[in-house]
Structures are given as C-alpha cells and as structure tokens.
Amino acid sequence: MQKDHQRGYHIVSQFKGTYVFKQDGIEIGRSSNLITSNGRKMILQYLSGGRLDWAADMAIGAINSVSPSLSDTQLNFETLRCPVTLKTFISANTVANNPDLVVVRSTIPVGVYANIYEIGLYGISNSGYSTSTRNNVILDNFSNLNNWSLSVGTVIPTPYIAQGASSPRIGANSISFQPRTTYVCPNTSISFSNYTTLDSLQLLVFNTTASSTGITVILTDSSGATQNLVFATTATAGYSVISAPFTSSITNFSTITSISISTDSSTYATIDAIKVSSANQISFEETLVSKSILTNPIAKDANSPLDIEYYVELL
C-alpha cells in the first residue's frame, strides 16, 4: 500500500497478470487476465511464507462465451493441463518501457491439437489432490477415429483447422451426429474409480438442436456395470457444454471398457470431447489463481510445441 502525500489517502497496490503465447520464441498473442478471489489469497499466502507455491500448472480450455468472475474456481471447459516449468524475475527496462515482472512459463507439447479460447493458472499440480486428479479427465476427443465404429445412422468427422470457428477446439476431429445414430468405442481401457453422484459427465458440443433426450451416453465398466446418461440439448449455433450427473452405480466402476453415444430421432449435434467433472468437490487449494478469455483463439498445431508465459506486475 502506498500513500499519496499530496492528497492524503492510501492507494492499494494491484496485481496485474497477462498471458503471452509464443511460437518458436516469437509472440503470437496475449490476453489480460482476472486474478480470482482465491488466487489473490494464494499469492498473498505465498508471499507471507504460508504456502509453498502459487503457480504449479497452466490449463487451456474451449469455451469463451462466459466471462471470468472473481468467484471462478476453474475454466469453463478445461481441455489440457501442463506443469509450470519456469519461474523467474525480469527487471524493468526503461528503454523498452517494460516494468518489473514475475514470469511463469509452461509448454503445450508436440502432438496436441487445440484452438485455445481460455487459459488459467493453478496453484497446485492436479496430481497433488485426489479431487483434482479425477476432475477434468478427457475420456475421448476423437483424435483417433480407428477406436470408434458406427452401429447405426450417420456421422461426419470435421478435422481440426487452426482458428476455425466450427473447427474442433481439442483433438484432431469433432463428430457430427445425425438423428438415430449410435457411435461406439468398444475396446477402450480408462481407469475410473472413486467417482460419486456429486460428479458428472460433460460433452463439448457444437450446433445442436433442441431435445429433452437429445444425446445418450452409455459407459460400461469391466465389471459389467453401466451408466446410462441422458443429455438434454438446446438449439444453439455455437459451442456449449452440456452435463449429466452420474447415477449411484458409478461407485462400482473401476475401468471403463466401452463408450457408446446415441442421438434420438430428432437431434443433430456435433460432439468435440467427452469429459468428467468433479467441480462440486474441489477445495480452495485446487481452484484457479487466474483466468483469461480469448476473443480470438490461439491455434496449437500438433507438429510443434507452444510456450505460454504468464507475466505478473505490481501496479
């Protein structure tokens, strides 16, 4: 806190954060952030010696239609989280008109297709807490269509296009479903335990029509237990997230061996990814420090890594 001696009142210092995207060391975009209420507490706790870290993981996401708020605890639809690999300090440069900065860096590795519409920073690693480990788990993003087979109906793959409005936002493909279609991934193996009825399955969808029983997803466990999850759809021309809560039999799951997706007699929908959410159970420690929404997406091509730096300055 600084005192303005001419006016006789105190000015409260503020943290300012900016995400900077770099391809091969060259800046390709940047976006100002909102530091959440929990994030401010974590930073101050770290500065006071009350916690060991304030920036452990960086996450990217797919939905920019919901603006950040101080109470946010996670991204709107997280698609990938990567560890922070560098923290450093850069002194002010008056020639370049740059202030003193704390710099945090993470890298999205080769092999990832993504159109990035949101970005966030977490104070702990997602492997550090059991809820974080279960939260935001992508079951499939249709990158490998050889894993899927058509039982009935019609599906049309849409391949990834950098910054394309209707392009997949995660993975190499999205899948457009016609009515009365069933698409099955019959031989998967996904570890899946400790979920409860507080958790849910989420679909990242595009261009859906309205139906109270639009999409049904059936998960089958190695024990033979099943989850029949029915998703209501609304008429939308853009990307959105739809959810269905798990039923009580989810406590019997250990390994998912099959995923089936079906549309009813009137539903058209494009599905980009299938994800689990344990958002209702995450603690203060597991919440976002910072969040930013991008008006224009940053494209991550699978052939090269993408560095993301987070600059923090004190105003």
Side-chain angles (χ1 to χ4, degrees):
M1 183 179 293
Q2 300 171 323
K3 185 172 183 180
D4 187 319
H5 294 284
Q6 290 184 335
R7 295 177 177 84
Y9 59 79
H10 289 83
I11 302 170
V12 178
S13 297
Q14 298 286 330
F15 293 112
K16 178 184 177 183
T18 304
Y19 289 98
V20 178
F21 301 84
K22 292 185 176 180
Q23 190 76 65
D24 299 322
I26 300 173
E27 181 177 328
I28 61 172
R30 64 173 53 204
S31 180
S32 297
N33 83 145
L34 181 146
I35 298 176
T36 66
S37 295
N38 286 349
R40 291 175 183 272
K41 291 178 183 178
M42 290 186 202
I43 293 172
L44 292 174
Q45 287 174 350
Y46 175 78
L47 292 174
S48 70
R51 63 183 299 119
L52 296 177
D53 204 352
W54 66 278
D57 279 353
M58 207 173 287
I60 60 173
I63 295 293
N64 65 343
S65 57
V66 182
S67 298
S69 72
L70 291 172
S71 61
D72 282 343
T73 59
Q74 62 177 354
L75 298 182
N76 300 320
F77 191 93
E78 183 177 311
T79 53
L80 182 71
R81 195 181 299 199
C82 298
V84 167
T85 56
L86 174 70
K87 298 187 188 81
T88 190
F89 172 77
I90 299 177
S91 294
N93 184 328
T94 55
V95 175
N97 197 30
N98 290 330
D100 291 327
L101 292 174
V102 173
V103 179
V104 175
R105 180 185 297 159
S106 182
T107 300
I108 303 177
V110 172
V112 175
Y113 289 94
N115 283 309
I116 302 170
Y117 283 82
E118 50 181 339
I119 178 84
L121 186 73
Y122 286 89
I124 63 150
S125 169
N126 69 335
S127 61
Y129 287 75
S130 61
T131 305
S132 287
T133 303
R134 302 195 315 272
N135 192 28
N136 293 317
V137 175
I138 299 285
L139 300 187
D140 204 275
N141 61 19
F142 304 106
S143 284
N144 187 355
L145 298 185
N146 291 328
N147 294 336
W148 291 82
S149 61
L150 185 65
S151 293
V152 65
T154 302
V155 295
I156 304 171
T158 300
Y160 171 87
I161 299 174
Q163 297 178 306
S166 59
S167 168
R169 296 190 173 182
I170 186 66
N173 300 281
S174 59
I175 302 296
S176 295
F177 286 74
Q178 303 292 300
R180 296 190 179 92
T181 292
T182 298
Y183 204 38
V184 181
C185 182
N187 296 304
T188 191
S189 180
I190 303 170
S191 180
F192 207 80
S193 58
N194 299 321
Y195 288 99
T196 73
T197 53
L198 294 175
D199 305 317
S200 62
L201 195 68
Q202 295 184 332
L203 303 180
L204 180 61
V205 295
F206 176 77
N207 278 8
T208 55
T209 54
S211 175
S212 60
T213 58
I215 300 171
T216 298
V217 176
I218 301 176
L219 305 180
T220 303
D221 182 65
S222 57
S223 66
T226 60
Q227 285 282 299
N228 284 40
L229 304 167
V230 179
F231 295 80
T233 55
T234 58
T236 176
Y239 266 94
S240 61
V241 180
I242 55 178
S243 301
F246 289 131
T247 65
S248 58
S249 66
I250 197 65
T251 57
N252 299 322
F253 271 52
S254 62
T255 304
I256 294 176
T257 56
S258 174
I259 304 172
S260 171
I261 305 174
S262 299
T263 50
D264 66 14
S265 60
S266 62
T267 296
Y268 294 81
T270 297
I271 302 177
D272 196 350
I274 311 168
K275 181 174 76 69
V276 184
S277 172
S278 297
N280 290 332
Q281 300 184 67
I282 60 176
S283 66
F284 163 80
E285 291 289 341
E286 301 166 277
T287 59
L288 277 173
V289 171
S290 161
K291 182 177 182 179
S292 183
I293 296 296
L294 283 69
T295 303
N296 298 311
I298 297 294
K300 166 62 181 70
D301 188 88
N303 296 320
S304 59
L306 177 70
D307 291 327
I308 304 175
E309 294 181 344
Y310 180 56
Y311 299 168
V312 181
E313 60 181 293
L314 190 64
L315 300 179

